[in-house]
Amino acid sequence: MEMRRPVSLRRRPVLCPSVVIVLLGLASEAISQTQEVPARDSRSKIIEEVIVTARRVEESLQDTPVSVAAFSSAELEQIGVSEPKDLAQYTPNLVIRNQSGSNDDYAIGLRGIAEAEPSLAIDPAVGLYIDGIYIARNVGLAFDITDLERIEVLRGPQGTLFGRNTIGGAVNIVTEKPRGELALKAQGAGGSKDYRRARISLDTPSIGDVALKFSLLHTARSGDVFSIYDGNDLGGAEALAYRAALRWTPADRLMADYSYTRTQKKGNGQVSQLTHVRPIYSDSDSPLYGGRLYRQAAAIQSERRVSERAMTRTAPEIDTSDIVGHALAFEWQALDNLVIKSISSYRTMDTSNFSEFHTFPVQQQGDVIDARNLETSGQVGLVPAGTFVSLFATPRNDWQRQLTQEFQFIGSLLDERLQFNTGVYYFQEDGFDDNPQEFALPTALVVSLTGQGAGLPAGLSDIVAAVVANEGTASATLLARPFQSGVDNKAYAAYADITWSVFADFDITLGARYTVDERSASIRNIFDGEVKVLEGDDEWSNFNPGITFNYRWSPEISTYFKVATGYRSGGFNIRATTEESFKTPFDPEALTSYEFGIKSDLLDRSLRLNAALFQFIYEDRQIAQFEAGSGGASSRIENAGKSVTTGLELETVYAPIAGMKIIASFGYLDVEYLEYVTGPVDRVTGFPSAAVNQDISDVAASDLYAPKNTASFTVEHSFSPWHFGQLIVRASANYTDSISFHPQLNLFNRSAAHTTIDVRVTLADMQAGEGHFSVSAWGKNLLNEEYRDFGIDFGLVGFAENTYANLASYGIDLVYSFNQ
């Protein structure tokens, strides 16, 4: 097929027409009332109090001896959070990256602790919670919830109260509950790249003891890169989320909250770029030359961001997900000093996507051998000329179901000098992953790997050699692996967290949690040239203690010292290509953290300065490594060794004058491997560089999702109100140091240090009948900074891919609110 330049695409309306009509009508009404008296000036030099639930009870941020970054719904709007990555820019030592191949999968790193493997058998290293409910998978990351009250980022292990797999920390999402009175908020937004957003949230008056809240959110955007084959855009996405919440208060001491949420997404995937093709495969003088297929790939590789990609899958529904959640919480004030809570949830996830890591037409019959069906038919053939062949391609269909139940007992004794939070927890998860892969390798490499533990049939060498002898030109071979897996996971826990007020300004908190994880897994793949199904099960348990000393030097200043532990369960390698790799489960990992923090409100509460200095010891660290051989995108988890991380977080808010806020944050990480035993890999060739495992602690990347420095600086100024509204201007600069995405294969896929500039200008509080109207103009990454968002080096498979973050974007938000 002939390659051509992208054609001009028909653009869709920027805003939904109905939203435009409604909001413009409200705007005209607001303008017609410009003769009214000026709005009340509510600006202040006093920094407002922030309420968080970092310890599972509501308390002031400044009274909480935990390193927490908290964002209210108003702050999230001012930041312009439209996707999870936006939040990370304003949170020290937090990294959130969209993984290759899907708009829905995210990798989260906190204080350098991360997990990017989307496998159902491997748990995230940073726990995600919605209204106290643990979400086992990072798909969607729950940021499409329509009623966010606040988001809290809890840094460091939260092994006592939040428990399961929070070895790096937790992202705690709190939703707005029904209020029992009529309230409305409607938002419409549009911008570059066909960005569109429509949101409506409605509170109804109470009906007896019942209050209701309904919400709807629709977002869409087009891609900003194009296929060189048909000119269609790539990377577009659309999402529809809706939520119904009910609050029932049958008695003064009893309250029940139920919510139903559903998020449906579609798009054509997170689009990667071919940034490197290994010369040993594309050089015609190399003994491992892969022929015209690899020569085409080498011709389009680029380390700089380009707008065109060699991809054929441009349909708008390549990538889909459907996530449904039910949550039921009861809160009973059993005694004046005892509250009993029950939190139940059931959640389903169904996803489907197709990852295509660059595709090229076969130029002449005989260029590529088709060995995809060798195991079932015993035959190979030739791929006809004109057929598109991918360097690597994989459809993926997943489903996951999770059930959780928690009982909490929260209260106090001894005239409230002793406060406790205890409970029991149960988690169950079932899932299935159908992830077949097709990938090409140079024929000479396939022949050399046969019989070397690469999982290929012993007779493949002779079969391929015969085809080459007959055709004379076949220099690449197309292979396939079925890669199907299933999981059945259970977890049980009991915990207690007790705070004793030794005297008026000094508290000691003791915490402990005991966890049991039961895991079963199965895998269907090719082992020793034969399709087999393997099964395994195992069980791990762990005891996580912690202690915190908190001293208030004055009403404005407090310090704390905290020793905390974290734990992440072991599991099975369900991407294994050898039986030994699957049958040898990886062990749990453990972390011990030492943290000293200070929280202060100074200068008559016009300056807030919080800081945390920490060091943690990370043992039996789980890290994904590519399997040697021709297993496609296969990997195994290894307990690679031990590391020590030292870090710092600074967060400050300063109000020099009424209406102005200067917000700054800084994060520092220094990671040192003490031991890292694994199979070493040559970063240049992608081949194993030794036959046995070795300690590579002196050469392994220490910046694995761990930028050495992160910083953010924001100035926000609210001008004196006019009679028709108030002008608010906000400008932010955000810096992130370079990071790696793999401990060894990081030569061609590192993300360089970068700085982004965001600006937002809002005209708020315009009267519109009994409600208010606001309009905001915004721009993100205004310097058009090019940086890699995520990267995969496929090692032995022969190439590296990277996805790039969005370039400059801009748009307008329109918001109407009533009784908010």
Side-chain angles (χ1 to χ4, degrees), residues 295-619:
R295 200 162 61 203
Q296 290 182 80
I300 71 162
Q301 68 177 352
S302 174
E303 293 185 359
R304 296 294 305 274
R305 189 184 195 275
V306 296
S307 61
E308 299 174 333
R309 311 288 162 86
M311 296 182 179
T312 61
R313 307 285 178 148
T314 60
E317 297 185 9
I318 294 295
D319 185 357
T320 65
S321 65
D322 190 355
I323 302 171
V324 178
H326 300 267
L328 178 62
F330 289 96
E331 182 174 316
W332 176 37
Q333 185 81 47
L335 302 170
D336 289 342
N337 61 346
L338 176 64
V339 173
I340 300 175
K341 292 184 180 181
S342 169
I343 304 174
S344 311
S345 77
Y346 179 69
R347 182 179 173 91
T348 68
M349 178 188 76
D350 295 271
T351 68
S352 175
N353 65 68
F354 189 97
S355 299
E356 179 187 16
F357 294 96
H358 285 74
T359 300
F360 305 95
V362 176
Q363 295 181 336
Q364 294 183 21
Q365 181 153 327
D367 283 354
V368 181
I369 297 174
D370 188 349
R372 291 173 295 177
N373 299 315
L374 178 65
E375 280 73 29
T376 56
S377 69
Q379 302 293 320
V380 300
L382 295 176
V383 179
T387 304
F388 282 95
V389 171
S390 299
L391 294 180
F392 181 88
T394 172
R396 184 170 188 173
N397 294 281
D398 289 354
W399 62 260
Q400 183 253 7
R401 310 288 184 258
Q402 71 166 63
L403 173 71
T404 66
Q405 175 62 54
E406 183 168 8
F407 293 102
Q408 299 177 358
F409 304 87
I410 304 170
S412 62
L413 297 169
L414 305 177
D415 296 326
E416 298 188 351
R417 290 187 60 194
L418 189 69
Q419 298 181 355
F420 60 87
N421 187 336
T422 65
V424 291
Y425 177 78
Y426 173 74
F427 169 86
Q428 180 178 344
E429 173 187 34
D430 299 292
F432 180 78
D433 179 17
D434 184 9
N435 189 204
Q437 300 177 359
E438 292 184 1
F439 53 96
L441 286 175
T443 299
L445 178 64
V446 173
V447 172
S448 69
L449 287 173
T450 302
Q452 297 183 22
L456 297 176
L460 179 61
S461 176
D462 295 336
I463 296 173
V464 170
V467 174
V468 174
N470 291 332
E471 301 299 330
T473 58
S475 49
T477 299
L478 188 58
L479 300 165
R481 285 190 175 275
F483 273 119
Q484 291 181 335
S485 59
V487 298
D488 182 0
N489 302 325
K490 294 182 177 66
Y492 312 84
Y495 66 89
D497 195 77
I498 300 171
T499 299
W500 175 37
S501 295
V502 181
F503 49 85
D505 295 316
F506 180 55
D507 301 334
I508 298 176
T509 299
L510 293 171
R513 189 182 191 100
Y514 182 74
T515 303
V516 176
D517 277 289
E518 297 177 354
R519 289 187 172 274
S520 298
S522 64
I523 180 175
R524 178 179 180 269
N525 205 351
I526 300 171
F527 300 102
D528 299 323
E530 180 183 349
V531 177
K532 298 180 181 179
V533 176
L534 306 179
E535 295 180 346
D537 60 81
D538 211 329
E539 178 181 307
W540 296 270
S541 62
N542 187 264
F543 177 70
N544 279 130
I547 186 169
T548 303
F549 303 92
N550 184 36
Y551 185 72
R552 291 172 292 279
W553 300 89
S554 70
E556 295 80 22
I557 302 175
S558 65
T559 56
Y560 66 89
F561 177 71
K562 180 179 181 180
V563 181
T565 57
Y567 153 85
R568 187 158 65 126
S569 172
F572 290 87
N573 287 301
I574 60 174
R575 291 186 182 275
T577 56
T578 65
E579 292 191 48
E580 180 186 2
S581 179
F582 176 79
K583 292 179 178 179
T584 306
F586 52 90
D587 292 326
E589 59 182 11
L591 183 143
T592 303
S593 171
Y594 304 90
E595 180 177 322
F596 173 78
I598 180 170
K599 298 196 172 186
S600 61
D601 281 335
L602 309 173
L603 304 180
D604 295 325
R605 289 185 59 193
S606 65
L607 173 63
R608 175 167 296 163
L609 177 61
N610 295 341
L613 177 66
F614 61 89
Q615 184 176 78
F616 56 71
I617 301 172
Y618 200 177
E619 297 183 275

Side-chain angles (χ1 to χ4, degrees), residues 2 7 50 53 133-134 182 289 311 337 539 613 642 649 656 756 769 798:
E2 180 184 359
V7 297
V50 178
T53 51
I133 297 167
Y134 173 68
L182 182 63
Y289 177 50
M311 296 182 179
N337 61 346
E539 178 181 307
L613 177 66
K642 184 176 181 179
E649 288 142 3
T756 58

Side-chain angles (χ1 to χ4, degrees), residues 5-17:
R5 304 289 296 183
V7 297
S8 176
L9 300 178
R10 184 176 63 184
R11 298 297 182 186
R12 292 160 287 187
V14 171
L15 283 173
C16 301

Side-chain angles (χ1 to χ4, degrees), residues 722-800:
W722 300 318
H723 54 274
F724 57 85
Q726 185 176 30
L727 183 66
I728 304 171
V729 178
R730 179 186 176 103
S732 302
N734 305 290
Y735 173 81
T736 302
D737 245 334
S738 61
I739 62 173
S740 294
F741 301 105
H742 191 275
Q744 296 188 76
L745 295 171
N746 50 38
L747 188 61
F748 306 112
N749 62 346
R750 285 174 56 82
S751 178
H754 56 272
T755 300
T756 58
I757 302 294
D758 299 342
V759 173
R760 187 179 186 91
V761 179
T762 302
L763 184 57
D765 293 331
M766 292 183 286
Q767 194 73 29
E770 297 184 9
H772 290 85
F773 181 82
S774 69
V775 57
S776 301
W778 51 264
K780 296 182 180 181
N781 191 15
L782 293 180
L783 297 181
N784 226 28
E785 184 85 0
E786 293 185 9
Y787 64 94
R788 294 170 177 174
D789 197 42
F790 193 79
I792 301 176
D793 187 332
F794 283 80
L796 191 65
V797 182
F799 64 96

Side-chain angles (χ1 to χ4, degrees), residues 690-746:
V692 296
N693 287 351
Q694 298 178 3
D695 187 346
I696 63 165
S697 56
D698 56 336
V699 296
S702 61
D703 60 349
L704 193 66
Y705 296 94
K708 198 171 190 68
N709 299 285
T710 53
S712 175
F713 183 81
T714 299
V715 177
E716 180 179 304
H717 185 58
S718 300
F719 289 84
S720 180
W722 300 318
H723 54 274
F724 57 85
Q726 185 176 30
L727 183 66
I728 304 171
V729 178
R730 179 186 176 103
S732 302
N734 305 290
Y735 173 81
T736 302
D737 245 334
S738 61
I739 62 173
S740 294
F741 301 105
H742 191 275
Q744 296 188 76
L745 295 171
N746 50 38

